[in-house]
Amino acid sequence: MNYKDFMKQVDESLSRMSEKEKDEWIRNFARTTIESQRMMVLKSLTITEMEEEYLPGFAIKEIEEWCEKVENQDIHIECQGYEEYGESYWDRDWSYEYFDVFGMGNKLSKAFQVAENLLSHKQYEQSLELYERLCCMSFMAMDNDAEEMFELDLEELVDEDLVSLNLKQISLNLLYAKYQVSEGEERVNTLYRYLTWSMCKNIKMEEIFSAGPEELNGIDRFMEEWISFLTEKDGDLAGGLLSEACMYQGGSNRLAETAKVVWRKHPVLYEKACKQLLNANKISRCEQLGLEAIRVLPEKLIIRGRIADLIAKVAVQLEHFDVMKECYKASFYAESTLNHYLRLFELPEYQDVTNRAAKYAITLTESPMVEGQFYNKQLRVNKLSKDHKKAIRFFNGEFDEIMEECHKDKTTLGWSTQFKGIAVPLFILLLDKNNKLTKAGQRLMDGIDIRLGNQEDEKSFADRFLYWKDKVVITNDQYDKYISWLREEVDKRTQAVVGGGYRKSYHKAAELITALNETMESKGVSHGRTSLIEYYKKLHSRKRAFKAELERLR
C-alpha cells in the first residue's frame, strides 16, 4: 500500500474514533512497542525546546568554521598506501589504510546531528543549508609516503569506516527539507538533482513524505508537477521515478495511459504497466497493452523484446497461440539471443521463420561480447557480437561453412577468446545421439552458455538445444567429416594444453576428450569412450592431475 492510500485509510479510521478511543489506541500502541523503539515513541510524544548542545547560534557557527578548515585543506585524513595481492601476480590492486588524526569523523557526525535537530524542530531553511554543505564537501586525504593528496567524498568516508552515518536517512532529510522550503519548478529541479547523487540511489519519492516532523502539504499538486517534469527528462532514473509517480497518482491505469504518451523517451513505462497488470491478474488487459507496445515501439528496441517475452507467457495462459507466435518473433527481432532464436523452432512453420531470422541477425550492428554501463538502458537497441552471429548461423544449419571457418583457425591455445572454443563443443553435442546430457556434456554446455551470455526464459539454453537437435538431420557423410575434424581439433588442443603443462586448463581438455568419446560411442563405436580416454591417459601417463580430471568425468 502506498503512502497516499495508507494515509487516506488512517484519516478515515481516525474520523470514526472518539477522543477517548484515540487515547486508548495511542496507549496500546506505546504498550506494545518493542524495547529498542521505546525512546523513539517517547520522543515523538514529547514537545521540547531544541537541545542546548545544538543551539543554532553557537553550533552552526562552530560547524561553519570547521567546514572552512576542511575546504581550505587545513585539516585532512592521513593515509598509507599498499599493494593488495589476489590469487595471481597480476591480480593486485593499490589500497589505503586511513588515519583520522584530526577527528574529522566525530565532527562530521555532530554536524549532521545538528542538521537533524534543526529539521526536527522545523528550522527547514537552516537545516537544508547545513545538509547541502555537508553532503557536497570533499575531504582531502594525504599520502605522506607519496607526498600526494586526493579527494574523498562523504560516501567514501563511510565506506572506509572513517565515520558512521545513515546516508539514506540523511538523503531523506535533505529531500524533505527542500520540499518544505521551495515549490514549483525550483523544487522539482532540485529534488531531481539530489536524486542523481549516488547516496540518494534507490530512494522512492513517497519515502520523503513520511521522513520529517510534520505532514507535507500539496502532495497531489506536487506529484502532478513531478510527472510533467519527468516526462521531459531522459534516462533510466527519470523513467523509474516517472513510473513510481504514475503508480502513486493513479495506479496501473495512469501508468498505462502515460506510457502511450511518453513511449519515445520512456518505453519502460509500457513494460512496468504490463507487469503491474499481470500482478493484479488483469491478464487480458495486460495482453492488450503489451500488443499495443510491441506494435508501436521500434523493432530493434531491446525493451520491446522483454515486453514480448512477458506477453508470450500471458498468451499461453489465455491459449492465444497466434499472439504467442507473434511475440516469439518480436522477441527475437528486438533482442536476438540464442534462446530467442531456438524458441522459434517450436513454431509450426519454423523452417521459414528461423531462416529469415538468421538472415536478419547477420545484418545487425556488431557489438563487443561485454558492453559497458548505459545511462539510458531503456533505449538500448539490438546488436550482436561476431560470435553470436556465427552461433546463430550454426543453429540455422550452416555446419559446413562454420567448420571450414574454424578449420582455418590454427590456434590450439586461447580458445576462450576464439569462436573455435564455442564451435567445437557445439559440434560434439550436436553429433551426440543421446537425448540427455552427461557430466562432460553439461560442462561443455555450461561453457558455451557462459561464453555467449545466454539469457534464460522459461527454459534453459540446454533444454532448447536438445529440442532443436531433435529436428536436425545429419547424413552419414556429414557425420564422418565432422567427427574426423573434431578428433583432429581435440587432439591438437590436448597436446597444447596437457603437453604444455597448463594445469589450470587440464579440465578443459578432459571435458572435450570425454564428451567426444561419448558422442562416438552413441553412434555405435564400440568402447569408443574407454579407448580414447585410455589412449590419452597412456600418452600423458606422468600427468596425474590430468588423469584425475578424466576420472572426475566418469
Side-chain angles (χ1 to χ4, degrees):
M1 182 182 296
N2 65 29
Y3 174 86
K4 183 178 183 179
D5 294 337
F6 173 71
M7 290 308 298
K8 182 180 179 181
Q9 290 193 29
V10 168
D11 290 339
E12 289 173 355
S13 297
L14 289 174
S15 68
R16 294 191 294 267
M17 296 170 70
S18 65
E19 292 301 315
K20 183 180 179 181
E21 288 172 330
K22 290 177 185 176
D23 288 344
E24 288 178 352
W25 184 90
I26 292 170
R27 196 170 189 284
N28 272 323
F29 178 79
R31 180 179 61 81
T32 57
T33 299
I34 61 175
E35 185 176 0
S36 62
Q37 296 181 1
R38 287 173 183 170
M39 289 305 298
M40 188 185 302
V41 171
L42 281 175
K43 189 175 180 181
S44 70
L45 291 170
T46 308
I47 302 174
T48 61
E49 296 299 319
M50 194 173 299
E51 290 88 338
E52 185 177 348
E53 184 182 354
Y54 296 115
L55 288 173
F58 170 73
I60 293 179
K61 182 179 179 181
E62 181 184 336
I63 292 168
E64 286 176 347
E65 290 174 354
W66 179 80
C67 289
E68 287 176 6
K69 289 181 181 178
V70 174
E71 291 162 352
N72 293 334
Q73 302 178 18
D74 295 330
I75 57 177
H76 57 263
I77 304 290
E78 292 192 357
C79 63
Q80 187 172 23
Y82 60 93
E83 274 192 314
E84 194 168 32
Y85 291 90
E87 293 183 1
S88 69
Y89 173 81
W90 301 108
D91 183 16
R92 54 182 175 169
D93 198 7
W94 191 256
S95 299
Y96 287 95
E97 186 175 1
Y98 294 93
F99 309 96
D100 187 7
V101 294
F102 290 97
M104 294 174 71
N106 185 49
K107 290 284 188 182
L108 196 56
S109 294
K110 288 183 177 179
F112 275 113
Q113 186 61 58
V114 170
E116 185 174 350
N117 285 346
L118 287 167
L119 185 81
S120 65
H121 288 81
K122 305 175 187 178
Q123 305 296 309
Y124 300 128
E125 291 278 4
Q126 287 180 295
S127 178
L128 176 65
E129 185 177 344
L130 184 52
Y131 269 123
E132 272 210 323
R133 185 168 190 180
L134 294 172
C135 290
C136 294
M137 283 177 64
S138 292
F139 305 86
M140 300 306 297
M142 167 64 81
D143 185 342
N144 291 318
D145 292 337
E147 297 184 347
E148 293 177 348
M149 296 189 80
F150 57 91
E151 291 184 356
L152 297 173
D153 61 24
L154 185 61
E155 285 183 278
E156 289 172 312
L157 292 188
V158 173
D159 290 341
E160 297 295 340
D161 294 324
L162 291 166
V163 62
S164 177
L165 296 170
N166 185 338
L167 291 181
K168 180 169 185 179
Q169 190 59 54
I170 288 170
S171 301
L172 289 171
N173 291 347
L174 170 71
L175 291 155
Y176 176 91
K178 185 61 186 180
Y179 185 104
Q180 288 283 30
V181 304
S182 59
E183 58 183 29
E185 187 176 344
E186 180 199 346
R187 179 161 61 186
V188 294
N189 269 292
T190 307
L191 291 180
Y192 184 78
R193 177 169 60 84
Y194 291 158
L195 289 168
T196 63
W197 294 358
S198 177
M199 65 180 284
C200 296
K201 186 179 180 181
N202 298 325
I203 285 180
K204 299 182 186 300
M205 183 56 68
E206 69 175 275
E207 291 181 281
I208 301 164
F209 302 156
S210 55
E214 57 185 340
E215 187 173 357
L216 296 175
N217 295 320
I219 289 177
D220 276 345
R221 184 181 74 254
F222 162 75
M223 289 302 284
E224 291 302 323
E225 294 171 349
W226 186 236
I227 287 172
S228 296
F229 170 81
L230 293 170
T231 57
E232 299 302 319
K233 300 294 291 185
D234 295 319
D236 294 325
L237 174 63
L241 292 170
L242 180 57
S243 299
E244 291 171 7
C246 289
M247 283 298 297
Y248 182 90
Q249 284 297 87
S252 57
N253 288 336
R254 178 67 182 272
L255 188 58
E257 290 308 310
T258 307
K260 296 176 182 181
V261 177
V262 303
W263 60 265
R264 287 181 177 84
K265 273 186 185 289
H266 298 298
V268 70
L269 265 67
Y270 264 129
E271 181 184 29
K272 290 184 179 292
C274 288
K275 287 181 177 179
Q276 289 291 337
L277 290 167
L278 184 59
N279 291 338
N281 205 31
K282 299 177 181 179
I283 57 176
S284 294
R285 175 75 179 109
C286 175
E287 182 189 58
Q288 179 186 357
L289 184 67
L291 284 173
E292 178 185 317
I294 291 167
R295 290 162 187 171
V296 73
L297 294 176
E299 182 182 58
K300 294 181 181 179
L301 206 62
I302 286 177
I303 202 167
R304 175 176 177 265
R306 297 209 303 263
I307 294 169
D309 266 343
L310 182 68
I311 303 308
K313 296 172 186 175
V314 171
V316 170
Q317 289 184 49
L318 295 171
E319 297 185 353
H320 294 171
F321 297 112
D322 285 343
V323 173
M324 181 201 74
K325 185 163 51 175
E326 179 183 350
C327 290
Y328 280 6
K329 294 176 184 178
S331 293
F332 178 77
Y333 281 79
E335 189 176 18
S336 300
T337 65
L338 279 182
N339 259 23
H340 284 169
Y341 182 71
L342 292 174
R343 189 168 60 178
L344 297 176
F345 285 85
E346 298 175 14
L347 301 179
E349 69 285 12
Y350 73 86
Q351 294 95 336
D352 181 54
V353 172
T354 55
N355 190 48
R356 282 189 285 109
K359 290 178 180 177
Y360 164 81
I362 302 304
T363 68
L364 291 171
T365 302
E366 286 188 0
S367 68
M369 288 294 291
V370 179
E371 297 192 72
Q373 297 294 317
F374 290 87
Y375 156 74
N376 206 356
K377 291 181 181 178
Q378 59 179 323
L379 294 183
R380 286 178 60 194
V381 295
N382 195 12
K383 296 179 182 179
L384 276 185
S385 68
K386 286 183 179 180
D387 285 353
H388 275 88
K389 289 184 178 183
K390 289 180 179 180
I392 287 174
R393 287 174 53 206
F394 173 88
F395 285 112
N396 193 42
E398 298 179 35
F399 305 132
D400 288 351
E401 294 84 349
I402 294 296
M403 188 194 73
E404 286 303 319
E405 289 175 21
C406 291
H407 194 65
K408 294 175 184 176
D409 180 1
K410 303 302 181 183
T411 58
T412 52
L413 295 173
W415 277 21
S416 59
T417 58
Q418 302 295 325
F419 184 70
K420 186 189 285 189
I422 298 171
V424 169
L426 280 175
F427 271 100
I428 291 174
L429 294 168
L430 166 65
L431 299 181
D432 189 353
K433 298 298 181 181
N434 294 309
N435 57 8
K436 290 184 180 180
L437 292 174
T438 63
K439 188 184 293 186
Q442 187 63 59
R443 295 272 187 89
L444 293 188
M445 185 67 72
D446 292 343
I448 296 166
D449 207 5
I450 292 169
R451 277 287 306 274
L452 294 175
N454 290 316
Q455 300 172 354
E456 289 192 11
D457 40 56
E458 66 277 8
K459 293 182 182 178
S460 68
F461 173 60
D463 289 339
R464 294 208 180 280
F465 178 93
L466 293 172
Y467 182 88
W468 163 83
K469 191 173 75 166
D470 282 343
K471 296 180 177 294
V472 178
V473 177
I474 299 291
T475 67
N476 289 332
D477 287 344
Q478 284 179 306
Y479 178 89
D480 291 341
K481 177 169 59 176
Y482 302 151
I483 209 75
S484 175
W485 170 67
L486 288 171
R487 291 190 66 165
E488 179 185 337
E489 290 293 344
V490 169
D491 186 66
K492 290 177 180 177
R493 174 71 164 159
T494 303
Q495 296 304 326
V497 170
V498 183
Y502 294 96
R503 290 175 61 103
K504 290 186 177 180
S505 293
Y506 282 179
H507 68 96
K508 298 177 183 177
E511 288 159 10
L512 289 172
I513 291 166
T514 305
L516 176 59
N517 281 275
E518 289 168 350
T519 293
M520 293 168 61
E521 191 177 55
S522 73
K523 180 69 171 175
V525 178
S526 179
H527 305 297
R529 182 177 186 274
T530 305
S531 61
L532 213 58
I533 290 174
E534 292 304 319
Y535 166 77
Y536 282 108
K537 278 185 176 181
K538 290 178 181 177
L539 185 63
H540 300 286
S541 59
R542 300 178 66 182
K543 306 285 188 178
R544 288 185 296 174
F546 170 63
K547 291 192 290 183
E549 293 292 347
L550 288 170
E551 287 299 318
R552 289 191 185 98
L553 295 170
R554 282 187 177 275

